[in-house]
Amino acid sequence: MPSTIQSRDPHQEIVPVLDCGGQTTQLIARRLREAGIFSMIMRSDTPAAELKALNPKGIVLSGGPASVFEDGAPKIDPEILRIGVPVLGICYGMQIVCRELGASITPADHREFGRANLEIGSSGELFEAVPERTTVWMSHGDQVTDLAAAKLETIASTATCPFAAVRCVDDGVRFYGVQFHPEVTHTPHGSDMIRNFAYEICGCTGTWRMSEFADTEIEKIREQVGSDRVICGLSGGVDSAVVAALLHKAIGDQLTCVFVDNGLLRKNERQLVETTFRDHFNVDLRVMDASAEFLEDLAGVTDPQEKRRLIGHRFVDVFKEAAADIDGVKFLAQGTLYPDVIESGHGHSGQSANIKLHHNVGGLPEDLGFDLIEPVRDLFKDEVRKLGEVLGVPDAILWRHPFPGPGLAVRVLGDIRPERLEVVRECDEIVLEEIIAADLYRQTSQVFAVLTPIQSVGVMGDGRTYENVVAVRAVETRDFMTADWARIPFDVLARISNRIINEVRGVNRVVYDISSKPPATIEWE
């Protein structure tokens, strides 16, 4: 998958985050973006020359679970300290640089995890406007224990970590390190510290805005496409709608949107897409009914990764068929988001685990036949919505809850059969109706029903039943990288359960999913 880094605006303020494997690495990039500085996640061992070519204002090294003493632990190119920009090391990122600079690192007797009281000894710069005593979040095993051999000085400490924050006093190296995690909400003034690094130390001005992103992407699309045509996969969701709006603004009639009916859609989804997008976007919309082919591919398949792979391949085949009837098509546009890239292990960092295969990231065959356009590949979900607002996408579309690319195939656990799809469709419709009626739709980020492969004993009327268990999932999140289960009022859950059991044939039990992400994912498959 081609990197989008090389196409970045050379005048844009960029602070890349080098990923050392931490679970909260993406939060660092988010905090920088919230401060008006564009950031992306890259490999920890990215060569200094490649970083310098980006003309960054600064560099951040993330935390990570590894020990600097382990074989195979993330490495850095030491020359990044000498390319002339400030470097901030967080947790593992601090340790690896301090070790490089000659400090001693010692494995702790036990891992320190939780809140700690930070005493700031040197205010200003990193700790500008931060109280002298503040709470921070620790999560580490090793820690810096001796600065004697390094040109480093302590600027903050805790009761158990005397070198909780340090800075380099070597004129040729502008390095700051913190043993705690400023990116998490458990560090109340952490965002202030990251902003201080960006503004006070790196000299950023915070000029990155979504309107600027839109203008830059429109120019890039026009330059990339030229006089050729683009087809865009339109699903009816937020991501593809925003991509379609962006492309239409950039290239107008050179865009053809293709909607694929894969037989795995929500109730009335096809009709909604046809009426809404033809009327609102006024684009050339082609509808491809390939439901029989998708369901034939999925017959007997229960492994979720295999489901996604098969759907991805069929998805591309259908697009090729659609493109064959359109003259001059060279590009395929997709609504790939940054969380998709990170979770699929296809990100710039190369450190992320492959959590799940996204149909529009890892499931594409090599002989695609089109050049890809992924204009929102570097954005999080809430940032895509901001882009949609800039482009004038209607709220009714912009605030729709996400629907996975593989559709109901990952909400029917186990074998995919038409009758099972119909069960989950009816259940899902009831869930959404009740959430909307309770005025909870905008307060929740994603709500849906899952048909489990479990049957349970029940009693209906005077008879014994042995029927399906349906799970209801509702989450709240900002970026879909982490999420908490939504505290839906019991009376709403009661109405959902009562309606499903009474109105949907084949279901006799409803359960509510109260797991957060991590450790669970939002979708069940």
Side-chain angles (χ1 to χ4, degrees), residues 52-85:
K52 190 173 183 178
L54 291 175
N55 193 28
K57 299 290 286 187
I59 297 169
V60 180
L61 300 175
S62 82
S67 166
V68 294
F69 302 106
E70 292 177 10
D71 291 336
K75 307 295 184 185
I76 64 167
D77 180 351
E79 290 303 310
I80 67 171
L81 299 171
R82 296 171 180 85
I83 64 175
V85 299

PDB file of all heavy atoms in Angstrom, residues 52-85:
ATOM      1  N   LYS A  52      13.998  13.984   8.027  1.00  0.00           N
ATOM      2  CA  LYS A  52      14.442  15.336   7.692  1.00  0.00           C
ATOM      3  C   LYS A  52      13.788  15.824   6.413  1.00  0.00           C
ATOM      4  O   LYS A  52      13.476  17.020   6.264  1.00  0.00           O
ATOM      5  CB  LYS A  52      15.961  15.365   7.555  1.00  0.00           C
ATOM      6  CG  LYS A  52      16.537  16.769   7.437  1.00  0.00           C
ATOM      7  CD  LYS A  52      18.058  16.757   7.481  1.00  0.00           C
ATOM      8  CE  LYS A  52      18.616  18.182   7.429  1.00  0.00           C
ATOM      9  NZ  LYS A  52      20.101  18.181   7.512  1.00  0.00           N
ATOM     10  N   ALA A  53      13.535  14.897   5.484  1.00  0.00           N
ATOM     11  CA  ALA A  53      12.909  15.263   4.211  1.00  0.00           C
ATOM     12  C   ALA A  53      11.487  15.781   4.406  1.00  0.00           C
ATOM     13  O   ALA A  53      10.960  16.504   3.553  1.00  0.00           O
ATOM     14  CB  ALA A  53      12.912  14.065   3.269  1.00  0.00           C
ATOM     15  N   LEU A  54      10.860  15.420   5.510  1.00  0.00           N
ATOM     16  CA  LEU A  54       9.516  15.911   5.812  1.00  0.00           C
ATOM     17  C   LEU A  54       9.526  17.346   6.310  1.00  0.00           C
ATOM     18  O   LEU A  54       8.466  17.962   6.448  1.00  0.00           O
ATOM     19  CB  LEU A  54       8.862  15.026   6.886  1.00  0.00           C
ATOM     20  CG  LEU A  54       8.493  13.598   6.505  1.00  0.00           C
ATOM     21  CD1 LEU A  54       7.984  12.858   7.730  1.00  0.00           C
ATOM     22  CD2 LEU A  54       7.438  13.591   5.417  1.00  0.00           C
ATOM     23  N   ASN A  55      10.704  17.852   6.640  1.00  0.00           N
ATOM     24  CA  ASN A  55      10.835  19.187   7.223  1.00  0.00           C
ATOM     25  C   ASN A  55       9.979  19.319   8.488  1.00  0.00           C
ATOM     26  O   ASN A  55       9.175  20.246   8.625  1.00  0.00           O
ATOM     27  CB  ASN A  55      10.433  20.261   6.202  1.00  0.00           C
ATOM     28  CG  ASN A  55      10.855  21.651   6.651  1.00  0.00           C
ATOM     29  OD1 ASN A  55      11.828  21.816   7.387  1.00  0.00           O
ATOM     30  ND2 ASN A  55      10.109  22.653   6.217  1.00  0.00           N
ATOM     31  N   PRO A  56      10.170  18.396   9.444  1.00  0.00           N
ATOM     32  CA  PRO A  56       9.324  18.415  10.643  1.00  0.00           C
ATOM     33  C   PRO A  56       9.698  19.560  11.570  1.00  0.00           C
ATOM     34  O   PRO A  56      10.826  20.055  11.552  1.00  0.00           O
ATOM     35  CB  PRO A  56       9.635  17.068  11.305  1.00  0.00           C
ATOM     36  CG  PRO A  56      11.063  16.803  10.928  1.00  0.00           C
ATOM     37  CD  PRO A  56      11.203  17.341   9.520  1.00  0.00           C
ATOM     38  N   LYS A  57       8.732  19.972  12.381  1.00  0.00           N
ATOM     39  CA  LYS A  57       8.994  20.976  13.411  1.00  0.00           C
ATOM     40  C   LYS A  57       9.547  20.320  14.671  1.00  0.00           C
ATOM     41  O   LYS A  57      10.201  20.969  15.486  1.00  0.00           O
ATOM     42  CB  LYS A  57       7.714  21.737  13.751  1.00  0.00           C
ATOM     43  CG  LYS A  57       7.116  22.495  12.579  1.00  0.00           C
ATOM     44  CD  LYS A  57       7.957  23.684  12.184  1.00  0.00           C
ATOM     45  CE  LYS A  57       7.829  24.832  13.166  1.00  0.00           C
ATOM     46  NZ  LYS A  57       8.517  26.061  12.721  1.00  0.00           N
ATOM     47  N   GLY A  58       9.263  19.043  14.846  1.00  0.00           N
ATOM     48  CA  GLY A  58       9.741  18.278  15.984  1.00  0.00           C
ATOM     49  C   GLY A  58       9.426  16.823  15.774  1.00  0.00           C
ATOM     50  O   GLY A  58       8.787  16.450  14.780  1.00  0.00           O
ATOM     51  N   ILE A  59       9.872  15.982  16.711  1.00  0.00           N
ATOM     52  CA  ILE A  59       9.651  14.537  16.622  1.00  0.00           C
ATOM     53  C   ILE A  59       9.284  14.031  18.012  1.00  0.00           C
ATOM     54  O   ILE A  59       9.843  14.486  19.016  1.00  0.00           O
ATOM     55  CB  ILE A  59      10.923  13.809  16.126  1.00  0.00           C
ATOM     56  CG1 ILE A  59      11.295  14.259  14.712  1.00  0.00           C
ATOM     57  CG2 ILE A  59      10.734  12.287  16.159  1.00  0.00           C
ATOM     58  CD1 ILE A  59      12.672  13.796  14.274  1.00  0.00           C
ATOM     59  N   VAL A  60       8.329  13.093  18.063  1.00  0.00           N
ATOM     60  CA  VAL A  60       7.961  12.461  19.333  1.00  0.00           C
ATOM     61  C   VAL A  60       8.217  10.963  19.234  1.00  0.00           C
ATOM     62  O   VAL A  60       7.885  10.333  18.223  1.00  0.00           O
ATOM     63  CB  VAL A  60       6.482  12.703  19.676  1.00  0.00           C
ATOM     64  CG1 VAL A  60       6.124  12.040  21.013  1.00  0.00           C
ATOM     65  CG2 VAL A  60       6.176  14.202  19.744  1.00  0.00           C
ATOM     66  N   LEU A  61       8.818  10.396  20.278  1.00  0.00           N
ATOM     67  CA  LEU A  61       9.002   8.944  20.381  1.00  0.00           C
ATOM     68  C   LEU A  61       7.989   8.423  21.389  1.00  0.00           C
ATOM     69  O   LEU A  61       7.938   8.894  22.531  1.00  0.00           O
ATOM     70  CB  LEU A  61      10.420   8.605  20.856  1.00  0.00           C
ATOM     71  CG  LEU A  61      11.573   9.087  19.974  1.00  0.00           C
ATOM     72  CD1 LEU A  61      12.906   8.784  20.653  1.00  0.00           C
ATOM     73  CD2 LEU A  61      11.514   8.425  18.628  1.00  0.00           C
ATOM     74  N   SER A  62       7.191   7.444  20.998  1.00  0.00           N
ATOM     75  CA  SER A  62       6.131   6.940  21.869  1.00  0.00           C
ATOM     76  C   SER A  62       6.665   5.989  22.930  1.00  0.00           C
ATOM     77  O   SER A  62       7.827   5.566  22.891  1.00  0.00           O
ATOM     78  CB  SER A  62       5.074   6.204  21.042  1.00  0.00           C
ATOM     79  OG  SER A  62       5.501   4.874  20.770  1.00  0.00           O
ATOM     80  N   GLY A  63       5.778   5.616  23.833  1.00  0.00           N
ATOM     81  CA  GLY A  63       6.070   4.559  24.781  1.00  0.00           C
ATOM     82  C   GLY A  63       5.912   3.200  24.133  1.00  0.00           C
ATOM     83  O   GLY A  63       5.608   3.091  22.940  1.00  0.00           O
ATOM     84  N   GLY A  64       6.126   2.153  24.909  1.00  0.00           N
ATOM     85  CA  GLY A  64       5.984   0.795  24.390  1.00  0.00           C
ATOM     86  C   GLY A  64       6.198  -0.216  25.497  1.00  0.00           C
ATOM     87  O   GLY A  64       6.812   0.096  26.534  1.00  0.00           O
ATOM     88  N   PRO A  65       5.715  -1.435  25.313  1.00  0.00           N
ATOM     89  CA  PRO A  65       5.783  -2.455  26.367  1.00  0.00           C
ATOM     90  C   PRO A  65       7.145  -3.135  26.505  1.00  0.00           C
ATOM     91  O   PRO A  65       7.392  -3.837  27.480  1.00  0.00           O
ATOM     92  CB  PRO A  65       4.726  -3.469  25.935  1.00  0.00           C
ATOM     93  CG  PRO A  65       4.722  -3.362  24.438  1.00  0.00           C
ATOM     94  CD  PRO A  65       4.976  -1.902  24.137  1.00  0.00           C
ATOM     95  N   ALA A  66       8.028  -2.949  25.529  1.00  0.00           N
ATOM     96  CA  ALA A  66       9.307  -3.665  25.539  1.00  0.00           C
ATOM     97  C   ALA A  66      10.287  -3.054  26.541  1.00  0.00           C
ATOM     98  O   ALA A  66      10.120  -1.927  26.995  1.00  0.00           O
ATOM     99  CB  ALA A  66       9.916  -3.658  24.140  1.00  0.00           C
ATOM    100  N   SER A  67      11.305  -3.815  26.880  1.00  0.00           N
ATOM    101  CA  SER A  67      12.428  -3.319  27.670  1.00  0.00           C
ATOM    102  C   SER A  67      13.568  -2.985  26.713  1.00  0.00           C
ATOM    103  O   SER A  67      13.777  -3.684  25.709  1.00  0.00           O
ATOM    104  CB  SER A  67      12.895  -4.380  28.672  1.00  0.00           C
ATOM    105  OG  SER A  67      14.162  -4.026  29.215  1.00  0.00           O
ATOM    106  N   VAL A  68      14.312  -1.933  27.010  1.00  0.00           N
ATOM    107  CA  VAL A  68      15.447  -1.568  26.156  1.00  0.00           C
ATOM    108  C   VAL A  68      16.502  -2.672  26.148  1.00  0.00           C
ATOM    109  O   VAL A  68      17.380  -2.685  25.288  1.00  0.00           O
ATOM    110  CB  VAL A  68      16.091  -0.235  26.614  1.00  0.00           C
ATOM    111  CG1 VAL A  68      15.131   0.913  26.414  1.00  0.00           C
ATOM    112  CG2 VAL A  68      16.563  -0.321  28.060  1.00  0.00           C
ATOM    113  N   PHE A  69      16.428  -3.607  27.086  1.00  0.00           N
ATOM    114  CA  PHE A  69      17.415  -4.681  27.176  1.00  0.00           C
ATOM    115  C   PHE A  69      17.013  -5.910  26.356  1.00  0.00           C
ATOM    116  O   PHE A  69      17.801  -6.841  26.200  1.00  0.00           O
ATOM    117  CB  PHE A  69      17.603  -5.105  28.636  1.00  0.00           C
ATOM    118  CG  PHE A  69      18.034  -3.976  29.537  1.00  0.00           C
ATOM    119  CD1 PHE A  69      17.140  -3.405  30.426  1.00  0.00           C
ATOM    120  CD2 PHE A  69      19.318  -3.471  29.478  1.00  0.00           C
ATOM    121  CE1 PHE A  69      17.527  -2.364  31.266  1.00  0.00           C
ATOM    122  CE2 PHE A  69      19.716  -2.436  30.296  1.00  0.00           C
ATOM    123  CZ  PHE A  69      18.822  -1.873  31.185  1.00  0.00           C
ATOM    124  N   GLU A  70      15.786  -5.945  25.830  1.00  0.00           N
ATOM    125  CA  GLU A  70      15.291  -7.117  25.109  1.00  0.00           C
ATOM    126  C   GLU A  70      15.849  -7.185  23.689  1.00  0.00           C
ATOM    127  O   GLU A  70      16.007  -6.159  23.031  1.00  0.00           O
ATOM    128  CB  GLU A  70      13.758  -7.085  25.028  1.00  0.00           C
ATOM    129  CG  GLU A  70      13.038  -7.269  26.340  1.00  0.00           C
ATOM    130  CD  GLU A  70      11.530  -7.155  26.161  1.00  0.00           C
ATOM    131  OE1 GLU A  70      11.063  -7.128  25.004  1.00  0.00           O
ATOM    132  OE2 GLU A  70      10.826  -7.082  27.181  1.00  0.00           O
ATOM    133  N   ASP A  71      16.108  -8.409  23.242  1.00  0.00           N
ATOM    134  CA  ASP A  71      16.408  -8.601  21.829  1.00  0.00           C
ATOM    135  C   ASP A  71      15.143  -8.314  21.027  1.00  0.00           C
ATOM    136  O   ASP A  71      14.049  -8.727  21.405  1.00  0.00           O
ATOM    137  CB  ASP A  71      16.857 -10.047  21.570  1.00  0.00           C
ATOM    138  CG  ASP A  71      18.222 -10.339  22.185  1.00  0.00           C
ATOM    139  OD1 ASP A  71      18.984  -9.380  22.392  1.00  0.00           O
ATOM    140  OD2 ASP A  71      18.490 -11.526  22.468  1.00  0.00           O
ATOM    141  N   GLY A  72      15.290  -7.616  19.937  1.00  0.00           N
ATOM    142  CA  GLY A  72      14.133  -7.318  19.106  1.00  0.00           C
ATOM    143  C   GLY A  72      13.317  -6.130  19.563  1.00  0.00           C
ATOM    144  O   GLY A  72      12.264  -5.844  18.973  1.00  0.00           O
ATOM    145  N   ALA A  73      13.772  -5.441  20.631  1.00  0.00           N
ATOM    146  CA  ALA A  73      13.053  -4.249  21.089  1.00  0.00           C
ATOM    147  C   ALA A  73      13.151  -3.158  20.025  1.00  0.00           C
ATOM    148  O   ALA A  73      14.122  -3.110  19.267  1.00  0.00           O
ATOM    149  CB  ALA A  73      13.632  -3.759  22.409  1.00  0.00           C
ATOM    150  N   PRO A  74      12.149  -2.267  19.919  1.00  0.00           N
ATOM    151  CA  PRO A  74      12.190  -1.196  18.909  1.00  0.00           C
ATOM    152  C   PRO A  74      13.469  -0.379  18.996  1.00  0.00           C
ATOM    153  O   PRO A  74      13.965  -0.077  20.088  1.00  0.00           O
ATOM    154  CB  PRO A  74      10.959  -0.345  19.270  1.00  0.00           C
ATOM    155  CG  PRO A  74      10.026  -1.308  19.926  1.00  0.00           C
ATOM    156  CD  PRO A  74      10.899  -2.248  20.705  1.00  0.00           C
ATOM    157  N   LYS A  75      14.001  -0.038  17.845  1.00  0.00           N
ATOM    158  CA  LYS A  75      15.228   0.755  17.751  1.00  0.00           C
ATOM    159  C   LYS A  75      14.924   2.110  17.124  1.00  0.00           C
ATOM    160  O   LYS A  75      13.876   2.315  16.512  1.00  0.00           O
ATOM    161  CB  LYS A  75      16.270   0.033  16.893  1.00  0.00           C
ATOM    162  CG  LYS A  75      16.583  -1.394  17.316  1.00  0.00           C
ATOM    163  CD  LYS A  75      17.225  -1.455  18.689  1.00  0.00           C
ATOM    164  CE  LYS A  75      17.606  -2.900  19.046  1.00  0.00           C
ATOM    165  NZ  LYS A  75      18.129  -3.001  20.437  1.00  0.00           N
ATOM    166  N   ILE A  76      15.861   3.042  17.273  1.00  0.00           N
ATOM    167  CA  ILE A  76      15.766   4.329  16.603  1.00  0.00           C
ATOM    168  C   ILE A  76      17.064   4.598  15.861  1.00  0.00           C
ATOM    169  O   ILE A  76      18.104   3.990  16.164  1.00  0.00           O
ATOM    170  CB  ILE A  76      15.498   5.489  17.590  1.00  0.00           C
ATOM    171  CG1 ILE A  76      16.679   5.652  18.569  1.00  0.00           C
ATOM    172  CG2 ILE A  76      14.189   5.300  18.322  1.00  0.00           C
ATOM    173  CD1 ILE A  76      16.654   6.948  19.358  1.00  0.00           C
ATOM    174  N   ASP A  77      16.993   5.470  14.882  1.00  0.00           N
ATOM    175  CA  ASP A  77      18.196   5.966  14.234  1.00  0.00           C
ATOM    176  C   ASP A  77      18.728   7.095  15.107  1.00  0.00           C
ATOM    177  O   ASP A  77      18.077   8.143  15.226  1.00  0.00           O
ATOM    178  CB  ASP A  77      17.860   6.483  12.831  1.00  0.00           C
ATOM    179  CG  ASP A  77      19.087   7.023  12.094  1.00  0.00           C
ATOM    180  OD1 ASP A  77      20.159   7.151  12.709  1.00  0.00           O
ATOM    181  OD2 ASP A  77      18.948   7.337  10.895  1.00  0.00           O
ATOM    182  N   PRO A  78      19.890   6.924  15.767  1.00  0.00           N
ATOM    183  CA  PRO A  78      20.395   7.959  16.680  1.00  0.00           C
ATOM    184  C   PRO A  78      20.554   9.320  16.022  1.00  0.00           C
ATOM    185  O   PRO A  78      20.537  10.349  16.702  1.00  0.00           O
ATOM    186  CB  PRO A  78      21.751   7.394  17.130  1.00  0.00           C
ATOM    187  CG  PRO A  78      21.680   5.925  16.877  1.00  0.00           C
ATOM    188  CD  PRO A  78      20.808   5.772  15.680  1.00  0.00           C
ATOM    189  N   GLU A  79      20.673   9.338  14.708  1.00  0.00           N
ATOM    190  CA  GLU A  79      20.887  10.607  14.008  1.00  0.00           C
ATOM    191  C   GLU A  79      19.660  11.513  14.056  1.00  0.00           C
ATOM    192  O   GLU A  79      19.757  12.687  13.711  1.00  0.00           O
ATOM    193  CB  GLU A  79      21.296  10.341  12.559  1.00  0.00           C
ATOM    194  CG  GLU A  79      22.687   9.745  12.414  1.00  0.00           C
ATOM    195  CD  GLU A  79      23.755  10.625  13.054  1.00  0.00           C
ATOM    196  OE1 GLU A  79      23.784  11.839  12.764  1.00  0.00           O
ATOM    197  OE2 GLU A  79      24.546  10.093  13.863  1.00  0.00           O
ATOM    198  N   ILE A  80      18.511  10.978  14.466  1.00  0.00           N
ATOM    199  CA  ILE A  80      17.329  11.854  14.565  1.00  0.00           C
ATOM    200  C   ILE A  80      17.549  12.934  15.610  1.00  0.00           C
ATOM    201  O   ILE A  80      16.901  13.985  15.579  1.00  0.00           O
ATOM    202  CB  ILE A  80      16.037  11.062  14.897  1.00  0.00           C
ATOM    203  CG1 ILE A  80      16.092  10.456  16.309  1.00  0.00           C
ATOM    204  CG2 ILE A  80      15.761  10.000  13.845  1.00  0.00           C
ATOM    205  CD1 ILE A  80      14.785   9.852  16.761  1.00  0.00           C
ATOM    206  N   LEU A  81      18.484  12.695  16.546  1.00  0.00           N
ATOM    207  CA  LEU A  81      18.775  13.683  17.588  1.00  0.00           C
ATOM    208  C   LEU A  81      19.607  14.837  17.047  1.00  0.00           C
ATOM    209  O   LEU A  81      19.773  15.852  17.741  1.00  0.00           O
ATOM    210  CB  LEU A  81      19.512  13.017  18.755  1.00  0.00           C
ATOM    211  CG  LEU A  81      18.774  11.890  19.474  1.00  0.00           C
ATOM    212  CD1 LEU A  81      19.697  11.191  20.453  1.00  0.00           C
ATOM    213  CD2 LEU A  81      17.544  12.427  20.195  1.00  0.00           C
ATOM    214  N   ARG A  82      20.086  14.686  15.838  1.00  0.00           N
ATOM    215  CA  ARG A  82      21.020  15.674  15.303  1.00  0.00           C
ATOM    216  C   ARG A  82      20.558  16.267  13.974  1.00  0.00           C
ATOM    217  O   ARG A  82      21.365  16.766  13.205  1.00  0.00           O
ATOM    218  CB  ARG A  82      22.407  15.035  15.159  1.00  0.00           C
ATOM    219  CG  ARG A  82      22.995  14.639  16.511  1.00  0.00           C
ATOM    220  CD  ARG A  82      24.255  13.807  16.404  1.00  0.00           C
ATOM    221  NE  ARG A  82      24.747  13.470  17.738  1.00  0.00           N
ATOM    222  CZ  ARG A  82      24.319  12.430  18.441  1.00  0.00           C
ATOM    223  NH1 ARG A  82      23.396  11.627  17.948  1.00  0.00           N
ATOM    224  NH2 ARG A  82      24.801  12.195  19.653  1.00  0.00           N
ATOM    225  N   ILE A  83      19.260  16.189  13.707  1.00  0.00           N
ATOM    226  CA  ILE A  83      18.769  16.794  12.465  1.00  0.00           C
ATOM    227  C   ILE A  83      18.280  18.224  12.705  1.00  0.00           C
ATOM    228  O   ILE A  83      17.775  18.870  11.793  1.00  0.00           O
ATOM    229  CB  ILE A  83      17.667  15.947  11.804  1.00  0.00           C
ATOM    230  CG1 ILE A  83      16.414  15.857  12.687  1.00  0.00           C
ATOM    231  CG2 ILE A  83      18.181  14.584  11.443  1.00  0.00           C
ATOM    232  CD1 ILE A  83      15.270  15.114  11.999  1.00  0.00           C
ATOM    233  N   GLY A  84      18.419  18.690  13.955  1.00  0.00           N
ATOM    234  CA  GLY A  84      18.162  20.098  14.217  1.00  0.00           C
ATOM    235  C   GLY A  84      16.783  20.446  14.714  1.00  0.00           C
ATOM    236  O   GLY A  84      16.433  21.634  14.764  1.00  0.00           O
ATOM    237  N   VAL A  85      15.966  19.431  15.096  1.00  0.00           N
ATOM    238  CA  VAL A  85      14.639  19.733  15.635  1.00  0.00           C
ATOM    239  C   VAL A  85      14.493  19.083  17.011  1.00  0.00           C
ATOM    240  O   VAL A  85      15.155  18.089  17.316  1.00  0.00           O
ATOM    241  CB  VAL A  85      13.516  19.230  14.698  1.00  0.00           C
ATOM    242  CG1 VAL A  85      13.607  19.903  13.340  1.00  0.00           C
ATOM    243  CG2 VAL A  85      13.546  17.706  14.567  1.00  0.00           C
TER     244      VAL A  85
END
